Amino acid sequence: MDRPFFTVRYSRCAVVLIAVLAISAALDTVAWYHTINRLEATTQTAMATARENGWTIEATPLRKGGWPFGAWVELDRLETAHATRTAAPYDAGWAGEHIRLGGSWIHLLRSGLPLSLTGHQAARLVLDGNILTALASNLQIRLRNPGNLTFSVPQLELALSGRWPDRQFSLLSLSGRLIRFPEAQAGATRLGINVNAAKVTGFPLPYGFASDLQNAHLAIALTAPPTSAGLSLLDATSYGRLLLQDASASPATTSPDNRIILAGPLNLPDYDGTLTLTVTRWHELAAHLLERPEIQSRLSPDLQEMLRKLLQKTSIPSGMREQPLSLSVPVINGRMTPDAQVTSALISQHFQSP
């Protein structure tokens, strides 16, 4: 007896479905092998280049994974170290719990190669006697090309020590971009950095102060020097000037419109130059700062009273827009010396609004 029509029809659909799944699996497998070979080659090249540049690297053997939903290679317990040498005068180290290069097909099809650093990550840099320690987890990096990467991390903890005063602070919801032009001509940008942080806790300030900030932004460009003597990313002699395009933030307990902005060029490697400090809605900010106990404890009662009277004298009439306050801040050997300029502005009453 002949089979019913619907049975034949469903049998044909099943055959077509099986054929489609088989072809998809075969294509997925081919794509997986091709991508894995590329990721392995990228990882081995990066590690070989790092060893040539003086880094020692220890890690578990490279593992492959991701099929059928993606492709990646992984390393566990990565430990790297770099000792000071003439071409790269710094000590550095990095310990990573888990590193993955690659991801799902959706992430791989987007622009850039994803690099995930999950688990505990710790880095240490010693440069000219200054020590910087960084702790993070779940750091996400996207490599668009060897000289262009973007990154994001929920929280980055930083600690300063050595010649620097011992200070610790954290950056929350940090993201940014780094661009390199190793072959840049003299005067052109060799390294560019753009970073944003939603919040900064315990940011160190002069005279032992610390402050919480919000909506922090940093944009700098480092230009190539007249001669190509230095080629290390962290060596100041590798650059001619540091162009501080924008270093700005708002105090955490004030309006986001209260912005403290620092910008200007510095000559390298001496870090000499003049920066411009701009404060918007400075009158409100100054009144807020005078109410902070840690600042009151450093000022005599007479000085506090004088500053309050100065703020009253320079108060902004209702309906008028307050003009930003700008000061020139000389920088010598990386140290800002604003006291003389601030005193001069106070004496000459530059704080008065037009």
Side-chain angles (χ1 to χ4, degrees):
M1 185 176 71
D2 294 338
R3 290 182 295 175
F5 173 75
F6 72 87
T7 304
V8 176
R9 184 181 63 181
Y10 283 124
S11 297
R12 290 175 178 173
C13 290
V15 171
V16 172
L17 179 60
I18 292 172
V20 170
L21 291 176
I23 294 173
S24 298
L27 293 175
D28 187 271
T29 302
V30 172
W32 184 83
Y33 274 108
H34 173 76
T35 306
I36 285 295
N37 289 334
R38 183 167 66 93
L39 295 175
E40 280 188 303
T42 300
T43 303
Q44 298 296 343
T45 300
M47 295 175 70
T49 301
R51 289 189 175 100
E52 291 175 359
N53 290 330
W55 289 84
T56 60
I57 302 176
E58 295 182 2
T60 59
L62 203 63
R63 299 193 315 276
K64 310 170 188 176
W67 189 88
F69 304 109
W72 57 71
V73 294
E74 297 175 310
L75 291 170
D76 288 329
R77 297 187 296 277
L78 176 66
E79 295 186 4
T80 66
H82 182 282
T84 300
R85 60 178 188 166
T86 304
Y90 61 87
D91 285 325
W94 172 30
E97 188 172 348
H98 183 77
I99 294 92
R100 171 186 289 180
L101 180 63
S104 66
W105 294 126
I106 295 176
H107 287 104
L108 288 170
L109 290 174
R110 293 169 57 189
S111 176
L113 183 61
L115 175 64
S116 301
L117 289 75
T118 56
H120 297 293
Q121 308 287 330
R124 182 181 176 88
L125 173 66
V126 182
L127 183 63
D128 296 331
N130 299 312
I131 303 174
L132 172 65
T133 304
L135 301 175
S137 61
N138 196 27
L139 172 61
Q140 303 295 321
I141 299 175
R142 186 165 290 274
L143 305 166
R144 300 179 184 275
N145 58 56
N148 186 350
L149 65 85
T150 58
F151 60 89
S152 63
V153 63
Q155 180 171 343
L156 176 65
E157 298 181 12
L158 300 175
L160 306 176
S161 58
R163 293 183 180 177
W164 283 324
D166 291 347
R167 307 296 287 274
Q168 296 181 4
F169 60 102
S170 300
L171 298 94
L172 306 180
S173 299
L174 178 70
S175 63
R177 184 180 184 185
L178 186 148
I179 305 177
R180 292 186 63 201
F181 302 95
E183 306 301 325
Q185 300 295 318
T189 299
R190 172 170 283 182
L191 175 66
I193 302 174
N194 192 342
V195 180
N196 293 281
K199 186 177 181 181
V200 182
T201 60
F203 184 76
L205 298 174
Y207 309 112
F209 291 125
S211 177
D212 294 343
L213 307 174
Q214 60 180 333
N215 301 326
H217 177 243
L218 174 66
I220 64 174
L222 295 159
T223 66
T227 61
S228 58
L231 295 177
S232 171
L233 179 68
L234 300 175
D235 187 0
T237 61
S238 298
Y239 308 102
R241 293 203 305 168
L242 186 155
L243 305 179
L244 184 59
Q245 298 166 335
D246 180 58
S248 60
S250 299
T253 56
T254 64
S255 166
D257 294 334
N258 287 1
R259 298 292 288 178
I260 302 173
I261 307 166
L262 200 61
L266 296 176
N267 297 316
L268 298 177
D270 297 325
Y271 294 97
D272 293 339
T274 300
L275 301 179
T276 299
L277 174 66
T278 303
V279 182
T280 63
R281 300 183 64 173
W282 63 269
H283 194 274
E284 177 185 341
L285 178 61
H288 172 77
L289 292 176
L290 281 176
E291 298 302 322
R292 295 183 57 172
E294 64 269 27
I295 292 182
Q296 291 178 351
S297 64
R298 302 246 179 163
L299 302 176
S300 66
D302 291 342
L303 181 56
Q304 293 181 45
E305 184 63 22
M306 184 194 73
L307 292 175
R308 288 191 178 94
K309 289 182 178 179
L310 178 64
L311 289 176
Q312 293 175 0
K313 180 181 178 181
T314 59
S315 60
I316 308 301
S318 178
M320 292 188 63
R321 183 176 180 180
E322 183 178 31
Q323 297 298 316
L325 168 68
S326 293
L327 297 172
S328 294
V329 183
V331 180
I332 301 174
N333 293 326
R335 295 183 178 274
M336 294 190 293
T337 56
D339 292 357
Q341 282 67 32
V342 173
T343 303
S344 175
L346 286 169
I347 294 175
S348 59
Q349 299 185 4
H350 284 178
F351 284 152
Q352 293 184 356
S353 60

